[in-house]
Amino acid sequence: MLFLSVLLLVVAFVVGSLPLGHWLLGRAGVESRLNSAHNLGVENVWQRLGPRLAFASAGLDALKGLLAVLMASSLGPGHAAVMVGAGLLAYLGHLNPPRFLYGPTPPRGRGNLVLLGVLAGYAVTGALPLWLLLLPIAVFAAVMGYWGYVSAATLSALGVLAGVAALLPLDMGAKVALLGLGLAAAWRFKENVGRMLDGTEVRLGEDVPVAGKRDDVVVAAFMIHPMNLHDFWSAQRFGWLKPLVEKKLVSEKVVRQMADEMRPMKVGELRGIRTAQGKEIRCYLISAPLLPDRFRDNPELATRRAIEGARLARELGAEVFGLGAFWSVVGNKGVDVQAAVPEITITNGGAYTSGTIKAAIPGILKHFAETGRDLKAATAGIVGANGVVAFGIARTIAPQVGKIIMVGRDMEKLERSANTLRRANPNTEILTTTSYDTLPEADLIFSATSDPNPVIFPQHVKQGVWIFDEGRPADVDESVKNVPGVRVIPGGLVTPPGSMTTNIDLQFGVGNVPACLAETLIIAATGEHERKSLGPQTLTENINFFVQEAEKLGFRVVD
């Protein structure tokens, strides 16, 4: 009997793991993973595919739970624990099917219809009292009606079922299995709970945008990360950690270790972006909370998380996935990420970032000259000159100033870049250095480093200097603003068209986004996916394209 019981439990897991709904939708020519922007479910499939396929796939899922319990009931009376356990195993099989059935990315279904079939099986076989099975259904309906969150309703229903069952004179095995159902659901819905805390979980009946669903709505996704522990708390789901760290109950080391283990998650949304032509752009903010030093110390982990983020973006229904901040340099600046997830367009945002600089610099130089200072006699400091962006700035301003000081970390590379500028601009003095000590000579400073901390402090500037800060996070320390006459101009910031709102502080000012994020939005709005920025090279024609299209769509560079 023991062997048969174990065999029936294994069969229950296999039955639960059968991708019946997935196969049905596949035969209809539908990729089920892309028809729910958050999770599979009868409501989402109904909205996208209609009631016939929705109810058919839902019925197949419910049938799996019912069959698993019915087969276990063949053991006869007195085996309630095996029957309840069969329901648990069917649910676990649905949530964690063998990879050979789906490939590396199984559908992210909730399993509610499987649970309904399991409860029906318990009722038909008499494994549990009927009133006990009606109780979670009533709780589910009440929570759904009050709050609208399917995940919250499911967790509440299973929690009540397990709690009440624990007080009844039932077989201990049945009690443990019901507790297992609740725990399995809690683990499955942990991301949904995080979204509820962040304010991004979808309620029942809310229209969810998906790529290709509507002509007037496009969907993009953008990957972010915390720059420091303070940013870590900005996502409400992690807010509970803040007092524990402040009271030394949890160390920073533990938080960092936790961050290394966290897979990408949806932490925010950008809403209210509408182009001049009336097209709405929705953008999901995805984060794997790696701190900046981890990108340097463990690039393989960072690349793996970026690839996982791209896959999540695709499942959420996005058609373009942007890599922000330090994500933009992982995997050969996005090349490896695109190769791993070819089904979605990846961009590191480099072209429009360069474009915003190209658009902003003439105005900055014009305003500087209007103050009565002679550009041809001015000295310009270029900080981060080893980088592509900073060197592009140097190349743009070299014909217009008298002297350029190029500051970088790699002297050999600096000299090669400087020689290029010297040949093109023989009348401009070009100096190279790895020290910031010469910056006080500069009348203008253009900074574009990838350093997570400020690099320019009061001792590096003179009174009255103008600083164009392209760094993200900012290269200029806040204390620099206290130096008399200093003007700090944020670079690479863009205001999207419409009235953008977000649930998370991106720290770029109200209504602003970085240019790399704006590039992601522009690709989604125009459908020009071949313009994506990948690798270290940025094509001039793509820079010009984004500058022109941004203006047409209503994007405005912050100056």
Side-chain angles (χ1 to χ4, degrees):
M1 188 63 71
L2 176 60
F3 173 78
L4 184 57
S5 297
V6 172
L7 179 61
L8 287 170
L9 291 176
V10 171
V11 171
F13 180 86
V14 173
V15 169
S17 68
L18 293 175
L20 302 181
H22 180 67
W23 286 342
L24 174 66
L25 297 177
R27 288 179 64 85
V30 174
E31 171 53 71
S32 59
R33 296 178 185 87
L34 304 185
N35 285 290
S36 166
H38 295 270
N39 295 292
L40 294 177
V42 63
E43 179 205 7
N44 292 318
V45 177
W46 183 323
Q47 287 182 355
R48 184 73 190 274
L49 306 173
R52 182 179 176 184
L53 279 176
F55 279 118
S57 61
L60 288 174
D61 279 349
L63 183 62
K64 293 194 299 184
L66 176 63
L67 282 177
V69 178
L70 289 179
M71 286 188 294
S73 69
S74 63
L75 291 174
H79 292 87
V82 178
M83 287 186 279
V84 177
L88 168 62
L89 268 295
Y91 183 54
L92 290 175
H94 181 80
L95 298 184
N96 304 281
R99 288 190 178 273
F100 70 84
L101 291 175
Y102 292 101
T105 53
R108 302 165 66 86
R110 296 186 180 103
N112 281 16
L113 273 301
V114 176
L115 287 174
L116 186 61
V118 167
L119 294 181
Y122 292 162
V124 170
T125 60
L128 294 174
L130 181 61
W131 69 267
L132 180 61
L133 300 173
L134 294 175
L135 183 60
I137 295 175
V139 170
F140 180 92
V143 175
M144 275 296 301
Y146 177 75
W147 212 0
Y149 290 126
V150 174
S151 48
T154 303
L155 290 174
S156 300
L158 291 178
V160 168
L161 175 61
V164 174
L167 302 176
L168 298 178
L170 299 176
D171 185 291
M172 181 56 67
K175 293 182 179 181
V176 171
L178 290 175
L179 177 61
L181 271 178
L183 293 176
W187 183 256
R188 169 62 188 85
F189 286 114
K190 63 184 185 300
E191 173 62 12
N192 300 82
V193 172
R195 291 175 185 170
M196 283 189 283
L197 293 173
D198 291 335
T200 63
E201 177 73 342
V202 176
R203 285 185 166 89
L204 184 68
E206 184 177 343
D207 185 35
V208 179
V210 177
K213 184 177 179 180
R214 289 171 50 183
D215 293 336
D216 61 338
V217 180
V218 292
V219 186
F222 189 73
M223 196 158 187
I224 60 177
H225 64 83
M227 289 295 180
N228 49 50
L229 281 183
H230 176 75
D231 290 347
F232 200 91
W233 322 132
S234 63
Q236 294 299 313
R237 68 178 72 194
F238 299 128
W240 59 275
L241 271 172
K242 182 178 180 181
L244 298 180
V245 173
E246 291 176 343
K247 294 176 181 178
K248 309 296 184 183
L249 298 175
V250 175
S251 68
E252 180 178 334
K253 180 180 179 181
V254 170
V255 175
R256 287 175 170 273
Q257 290 173 341
M258 289 174 55
D260 280 359
E261 299 302 321
M262 291 180 184
R263 295 168 64 87
M265 61 199 78
K266 175 175 174 275
V267 297
E269 289 185 34
L270 302 182
R271 298 192 180 198
I273 301 173
R274 191 174 295 276
T275 69
Q277 294 74 28
K279 182 172 289 187
E280 181 184 356
I281 309 174
R282 288 281 289 275
C283 183
Y284 300 126
L285 300 175
I286 294 174
S287 175
L290 298 182
L291 291 166
D293 59 306
R294 301 302 291 145
F295 291 84
R296 179 191 66 239
D297 298 340
N298 197 339
E300 294 81 10
L301 173 64
T303 300
R304 187 164 69 249
R305 291 290 182 257
I307 291 171
E308 292 167 351
R311 288 176 177 151
L312 175 58
R314 180 173 178 259
E315 290 179 7
L316 290 172
E319 55 190 285
V320 187
F321 182 55
L323 300 172
F326 285 92
W327 294 116
S328 65
V329 300
V330 305
N332 192 21
K333 294 194 173 182
V335 172
D336 298 341
V337 182
Q338 183 69 89
V341 194
E343 301 86 358
I344 187 171
T345 298
I346 311 294
T347 183
N348 61 35
Y352 190 46
T353 298
S354 299
T356 58
I357 297 169
K358 181 179 179 180
I361 286 179
I364 292 171
L365 296 181
K366 178 183 176 183
H367 293 320
F368 181 82
E370 288 172 349
T371 64
R373 286 178 276 191
D374 184 5
L375 269 176
K376 282 297 183 181
T379 296
I382 309 294
V383 179
N386 283 134
V388 174
V389 172
F391 178 68
I393 296 174
R395 187 166 48 188
T396 300
I397 67 172
Q400 305 178 64
V401 299
K403 180 179 178 180
I404 286 181
I405 301 171
M406 301 176 67
V407 183
R409 295 178 178 176
D410 187 331
M411 193 63 183
E412 183 180 348
K413 185 178 178 181
L414 276 177
E415 270 301 310
R416 288 200 301 269
S417 299
N419 287 332
T420 300
L421 295 180
R422 289 173 184 134
R423 287 192 294 270
N425 306 277
N427 296 324
T428 303
E429 183 182 357
I430 312 290
L431 299 181
T432 57
T433 179
T434 58
S435 171
Y436 286 74
D437 294 342
T438 55
L439 272 185
E441 298 179 29
D443 305 293
L444 288 160
I445 296 176
F446 297 86
S447 186
T449 80
S450 56
D451 200 300
N453 301 306
V455 296
I456 299 176
F457 294 91
Q459 64 268 27
H460 300 138
V461 303
K462 68 179 181 181
Q463 295 185 14
V465 68
W466 285 28
I467 308 174
F468 183 68
D469 188 357
E470 176 65 25
R472 290 293 171 269
D475 287 336
V476 180
D477 189 75
E478 283 292 320
S479 59
V480 172
K481 296 178 181 179
N482 297 325
V483 177
V486 168
R487 180 180 177 185
V488 179
I489 305 165
L493 295 184
V494 179
T495 303
S499 301
M500 187 189 80
T501 61
T502 180
N503 64 304
I504 192 169
D505 183 8
L506 294 175
Q507 301 183 10
F508 298 113
V510 177
N512 299 328
V513 299
C516 51
L517 197 165
E519 177 175 316
T520 306
L521 303 178
I522 292 169
I523 292 174
T526 61
E528 296 281 352
H529 294 260
E530 71 279 2
R531 300 287 187 176
K532 62 189 178 184
S533 299
L534 288 177
Q537 300 300 320
T538 301
L539 297 178
T540 300
E541 62 183 81
N542 285 348
I543 294 174
N544 294 334
F545 167 82
F546 283 109
V547 171
Q548 294 165 5
E549 289 300 317
E551 185 175 353
K552 292 178 185 177
L553 295 170
F555 289 81
R556 182 179 61 82
V557 177
V558 177
D559 53 21

